[in-house]
Amino acid sequence: MNKLLLTLATLALVFSPISSQKAFGIWNDLTTKYASAGIVDLNTSNSTASFVNTGFTFPSNITSSTYNYANGLITYVATEISSGIPHLNTIDTNTWRLFNSSKILNMNLTNLAYDQTNVAYNLFATITTGDGYLYVIKISASDVDYKVIDKIPHVFPNATGTYLANSKLYTVCYENTTISTNCNYYGLDGSVLTREDFQATNLAYPWVSISAPYLMQYLPKQQATICVVYLENKSYATFVGRYQFFWVGSNSQLVNTGWIKSNDLARDNYGYLFSDFSLPRVYQFGMDNNGLYPYMQSFSTYTNQWFRTQRSNNFVLNAWAYI
């Protein structure tokens, strides 16, 4: 009987769905506002700081940050509180020490994405300098030296980018002057491979898409890309906006999969979406508009439904599952 119970227990462990359990994450300390990094428990939704970047803060919940699975480095843009100058900071999660910190001068640096290598210029990113162009670059995290690989004219600020790990492509999606969404794809060497014009589909009237994607993120488990777009309701005299999840699909379509449905993300502040390595799940942290209650939401990409909301001890802005 004991052997039978042991066998059944073992089978339950093997076949029961188990989440990634842990993730590396970044957030602002709720008291000091200092940029922090550490371990996020995806079961309890709580996080523990392993490194505090004293004197630096993330100025908004839309932070530019990335993780390199090849060497365990987290790189992010944070603002020095005393001077107001943004820095490109890198910490080593193997030792939880500051690896490098460099000033970012005369440009707005966004959409960081490691190409998951250890070479010198292994960071994709975008920059704007006030001349009306969006520059796509490969940058060295150690000294903020960069190489321009593409120059896109007449781009509004709300561009978004992510690295498609399985296909080894960096994609940048942006809104042009015709209020359509364009996506460019770049190879590992920085070469421009393809350009696509995307249209939002599967939207019921009176909702229409009015923005380029935000918070675009690649999901390794699903081998898919998700994003958030801003919608307007044409049935109101004064337009009412909300955010909605979309897949960046094939056939040049931003596909509304029914994510969020009646939930209105615009009511709260929220951070990046990130995926589970083991289960068809996506997580997102948020904070109520009063700044009192951080929480974590869990979404099933199998059922296309939010299934859990948990109170959290920190408003995690971005995270990367690793177990």
Side-chain angles (χ1 to χ4, degrees), residues 65-128:
S65 54
T66 183
Y67 175 69
N68 193 347
Y69 287 92
N71 53 25
L73 298 181
I74 296 176
T75 296
Y76 53 82
V77 176
T79 299
E80 186 178 36
I81 297 173
S82 60
S83 67
I85 297 175
H87 284 61
L88 186 66
N89 292 348
T90 298
I91 59 174
D92 187 345
T93 62
N94 300 293
T95 61
W96 291 112
R97 293 183 178 180
L98 183 66
F99 185 78
N100 189 75
S101 181
S102 300
K103 292 181 180 179
I104 303 171
L105 301 174
N106 304 317
M107 64 180 177
N108 181 32
L109 178 63
T110 56
N111 299 315
L112 293 176
Y114 270 115
D115 65 12
Q116 306 305 316
T117 69
N118 287 313
V119 299
Y121 293 87
N122 60 349
L123 267 173
F124 283 101
T126 60
I127 60 172
T128 53

Side-chain angles (χ1 to χ4, degrees), residues 197-223:
D197 184 7
F198 276 77
Q199 300 295 326
T201 63
N202 195 28
L203 275 176
Y205 184 83
W207 292 103
V208 295
S209 171
I210 60 166
S211 77
Y214 293 85
L215 302 174
M216 189 164 64
Q217 196 81 301
Y218 181 72
L219 308 181
K221 172 66 177 177
Q222 293 80 8
Q223 295 189 27

Side-chain angles (χ1 to χ4, degrees), residues 52-66:
V52 177
N53 204 170
T54 303
F56 288 84
T57 191
F58 297 114
S60 77
N61 55 308
I62 310 300
T63 180
S64 188
S65 54
T66 183

Side-chain angles (χ1 to χ4, degrees), residues 97 103 124 133 138 144 154 160 260 282 285 300 307:
R97 293 183 178 180
K103 292 181 180 179
F124 283 101
Y133 288 88
K138 292 208 78 174
V144 199
H154 309 302
T160 185
I260 297 300
V282 175
F285 282 81
S300 169
F307 67 90

